[in-house]
Structures are given as C-alpha cells and as structure tokens.
Amino acid sequence: MMNIKSRIEAMNRLGRAMADPTRSRILLSLLHEPGYPAQLAENLGLSRTNVSNHLTCLRGCGIVVAKLEGRKTRYEITDPHLTTALSALVDVTLAVDDQVPCVDSSCPDCTTDSSGTVEDKA
C-alpha cells in the first residue's frame, strides 16, 4: 500500500517526466505504440542523442521500459494501467480547456449549444 511519501514521490516522477515538451511528445508517441529511438527521432524531427537522453530520463522516472530486441532497443510505457491513466489525464486536461470540446459525449456536466460547442454547466 502506498503511503503519502511514496505517493508524493510517484507524482514528482510523473511531473518530471511530463514537464519537458520533448518528453511529452515522446510519451504521446509511446502511448500510441512502442518505439525505437531512431524511429522516434525521425518521426518527431529530433536528434537520436536528444531522444536517447529523454528516454533515459523517462526510464529513470519509471514511466517507460527498454526491451532489448537483438541489437535494437524498443521502448514502451511501463504498464498498461499507466498507459490508460496517462491517456485519461490528457483527455481530462483537454476537457477543461475552454478552446477544446469535452471528449466525453456522456458527460453530465457538459452540454452542446446550437453551434455544436460544448459548454461546461458548472
């Protein structure tokens, strides 16, 4: 069972992982599918060194794991529960943005006006 100290440490690791825009881009990519450093670098328009440094940080935070596949290393989110939680966190964050409609069509706190814009009832 997690005590308050371990919960704070977990939140700090997660915050550190997401605090950098490049790490956030890598995380969003890995939420979609596992990736290899060279592939991530190419897809995100970054250097391999930059991607490798950020992947090292994400590993240190406990957010991603590296799996050796012969001479290649595949990176993925540590646990499927974390993938679900990170995806939900992104969705919730977007839902509270005034410029982005609510992603949950069954949300009891939101309504859609005549223009199709979702408004928060609260």
Side-chain angles (χ1 to χ4, degrees):
M1 187 162 128
M2 293 184 74
N3 59 32
I4 190 71
K5 182 179 178 185
S6 59
R7 287 177 183 267
I8 289 170
E9 289 171 0
M11 287 182 70
N12 288 340
R13 285 193 315 271
L14 182 59
R16 179 166 184 221
M18 296 187 315
D20 182 89
T22 299
R23 284 194 295 274
S24 291
R25 291 175 62 206
I26 292 169
L27 276 174
L28 287 173
S29 180
L30 294 177
L31 284 174
H32 180 67
E33 65 183 349
Y36 302 89
Q39 171 197 29
L40 288 165
E42 183 177 330
N43 292 347
L44 299 174
L46 302 167
S47 71
R48 290 183 186 186
T49 302
N50 190 359
V51 169
S52 292
N53 288 337
H54 286 290
L55 287 169
T56 298
C57 177
L58 291 169
R59 282 179 55 201
C61 291
I63 307 297
V64 301
V65 293
K67 298 192 174 187
L68 293 176
E69 293 181 344
R71 294 179 55 157
K72 289 185 171 183
T73 303
R74 184 184 78 220
Y75 286 83
E76 60 188 47
I77 304 296
T78 304
D79 183 272
H81 293 95
L82 185 55
T83 299
T84 301
L86 287 170
S87 295
L89 181 60
V90 170
D91 289 346
V92 166
T93 302
L94 288 174
V96 298
D97 185 339
D98 291 340
Q99 304 302 313
V100 179
C102 183
V103 295
D104 184 357
S105 60
S106 65
C107 180
D109 293 325
C110 297
T111 61
T112 305
D113 67 18
S114 60
S115 70
T117 302
V118 177
E119 295 179 352
D120 188 352
K121 288 182 185 175

